[in-house]
Amino acid sequence: MKKFILISFIFYVLTSGLFIGLYAQNPIIRNQFTADPTARVFNGKVYLFPSHDIPAPERFPRKDWFCMEDYHVFSSSNLTEWTDHGVIVSQYNVNWVDTNSFSMWAPDCVERNGKYYFYFPANVNAKYGKGFGIGVAVADKPEGPYVPQPEPIKGVRGIDPCVLIDEDGQAYLYYSLNRIFVAKLKENMLELDSEPVVIANLPAKGLIEGPFVFERNGIYYLTYPHVENKTERLEYAIADSPMGPFKVAGVIMDESPTGCWTNHHSIVEYNGQWYLFYHHNDYSPKFDKNRSARIDSLFFNADGTIRKVVPTLRGVGLTSARDRIEIDRYSQISDKGVSLAFIDTLNTFKGWKIRLGMQNAWVKYNSVDFGNKKLKSVNVRVFSLSGSVLQIKVDSADGLLLGEVKIPSGVEWTTVRSRIKNSPKGVHHLVVILKGDNPVEVDWVQFGD
Ligand code: FUB
């Protein structure tokens, strides 16, 4: 009977489109590309509305361009475990979209009076002219089902919608088309209530897309990607009211050090902490139109200005010591002797491995929750041609030694289990150090009883 229930549950999970991921690190979604991540807090949970890059199918001629045919929505209550609620809108179920265009670009979603309004750009079909329109799909729950409106919003040509509902209930639609526009929305959230106007005093060149607007302590933040040099970096301007006048205020994130041309973001407060959601081409380093969502913490200065966010692999949230701790998403590494590579370059979604190549090389992974119960063992997933020794410590390379793991020589990946002599309580940083003479590749570390 138990077996039957388990099999039924697995079948339900596989067929309901529900995917439950236990991931704390960047990128946050690890089984598909997720670009342009808009995060919103609804009913005490964070909902993520990204766009969905896919490798171009045969019939899409532009192999070097963005290719997106649908949207998924994901949710999380701790920013580490994400549930995929499946496809909510597809180019095939919106009758104004050109279904050859694969152009379901950056979306947004807001709630009003218990209804959820999902805004998305896409190329219109011949009946509606040319270029990008912005449509709305409406649902009773953030995870859908969403019903697309039969027509795109009248009077709007552009991409990357963002909607702000101000304290007085007035809603504003921001979007872009080489400049950033704003217009009032009617109470029905489906029609414009004013002519779109261009937001003035922003950079004259290199501002193409991606506005995201929010309010904090009476300051309205208009945040946007801008090409100051070679690729997009995230910048912001501030104002006393949703339509401005805005004044350029600074940089939120520098341009990608590895050349991902786009960056697209959203900023949200959740349980008293602010977060920057953004994207990077982690799983597709050779093609920057296949991107993945990331999260890092964001902080304000006392005067309301935003501190620059330095992107991390570690991301946010606690990782349980009993989960597989992917130390390749490290917080810090020693100056020498550590390198990172994909486990399988033909399937990058299998993730990364870290190579400790020199005695005393170390890798640190922040914020591991060891709980209150004594742990007795550690498992490490490793590969070492000549065999070696790893030390497992907490907090620093000079910190408390939990145990040593003898790594056997071998030509295949293996999981080595070893007793630990110390088990810390609470949250600590995990440090793995190479003590033997020979290199070791590590996939993950996991503690247990
Ligand atoms: O994802 C397609 C486009 O690339 C988005 O709409 C832009 O913001 C940029 O990220």
Side-chain angles (χ1 to χ4, degrees), residues 35-36 51 53 66 68 105-106 159-160 209-210 232 262-264 279 291:
D36 309 323
S51 46
D53 292 336
F66 305 104
M68 294 111 130
W105 286 16
I159 60 169
D160 298 0
E209 54 197 5
E232 289 180 340
T262 62
N263 198 353
H264 186 113
H279 72 214
R291 300 146 300 170

Side-chain angles (χ1 to χ4, degrees), residues 45 48 111 114 134 180 191 250 267 338 346 367 376 416 440:
K45 272 192 193 177
L48 178 67
E111 183 269 341
I134 291 179
I180 296 178
E191 295 169 276
I267 293 174
V338 184
L346 297 178
S367 307
K376 296 191 182 132
V416 182
V440 177

Side-chain angles (χ1 to χ4, degrees), residues 401-415:
L401 178 67
L402 307 191
E404 278 196 348
V405 186
K406 271 204 179 135
I407 311 296
S409 59
V411 290
E412 289 193 350
W413 282 90
T414 180
T415 304

Side-chain angles (χ1 to χ4, degrees), residues 359-374:
Q359 206 175 55
N360 294 323
W362 54 264
V363 53
K364 184 195 267 191
Y365 180 101
N366 279 2
S367 307
V368 175
D369 188 359
F370 286 85
N372 289 321
K373 210 174 140 214
K374 204 166 172 348

